[in-house]
Amino acid sequence: MDKLSVLIAGIGGQGVVTAGRIIAEAFSVKGFKVFEAETHGLSQRGGAVNVHVRIGNVDGPLISKSGADILIALEATEALRNIEYLSNHGAIFLNASVKPPSLPKVKVYQLSEITEILKRWRTYVLDCNEIVGETGRCNTGILGVVYQASFSKYLDKDDFLTLFKDQVNRDSFLAGIRYWEKMKYLLTETM
């Protein structure tokens, strides 16, 4: 791998920062050069949060516009707000969850509208409840999906599992791996 840029986007309380830190630490422990940067506003009130993780032959922490290889959207509308960072060949791992904006008079998109806008990219629509159920954690479940789809070329799953502090996160990550293996040919993919 020469370089890999991953943008994680979501809203406050979804574990966006945690997911970014886990990706950064897993690659760093294996000796990859890693930069991580967080940007967030009113995240404690459901506002937008995004984390830039850059791995390999990179010079700075922030992903340039059209520079991301992977966009992980833990909230579907946040994919639209961050799509300018994704390269033309990038992949989107999109949580099917759409949360109403915390600000008044902001358009609420339906999932079908979002996937229509994103159709020029390779987009995998993921249902967190289907992946981890009601007791698991969405962020680590989707991280397991992305690991199996992309990161497993570079890291072993134990590189991630050792970083989780509790069994719920480990189980959610493993559920994401199993989900990808079971569903990878059936997931909604638009291009």
Side-chain angles (χ1 to χ4, degrees), residues 70-137:
I70 296 171
L71 171 59
I72 301 170
L74 296 179
E75 194 281 326
T77 308
E78 291 303 316
L80 299 179
R81 293 191 180 104
N82 291 280
I83 195 62
E84 66 187 355
Y85 289 101
L86 190 63
S87 77
N88 290 333
H89 308 292
I92 304 168
F93 293 87
L94 181 77
N95 183 7
S97 173
V98 178
K99 305 281 186 199
S102 55
L103 298 173
K105 299 180 182 177
V106 176
K107 178 176 173 50
V108 178
Y109 287 92
Q110 300 299 312
L111 181 61
S112 60
E113 295 174 290
I114 294 169
T115 57
E116 177 65 23
I117 293 168
L118 300 175
K119 69 180 181 184
R120 67 178 268 220
W121 287 275
R122 195 168 17 121
T123 304
Y124 300 101
V125 179
L126 308 167
D127 181 342
C128 262
N129 287 330
E130 196 174 325
I131 297 171
V132 298
E134 292 184 16
T135 58
R137 297 210 173 99

Side-chain angles (χ1 to χ4, degrees), residues 136-155:
R137 297 210 173 99
C138 181
N139 64 338
T140 50
I142 289 183
L143 197 53
V145 170
V146 177
Y147 164 78
Q148 192 65 15
S150 299
F151 301 154
S152 61
K153 294 179 271 192
Y154 316 110
L155 302 175

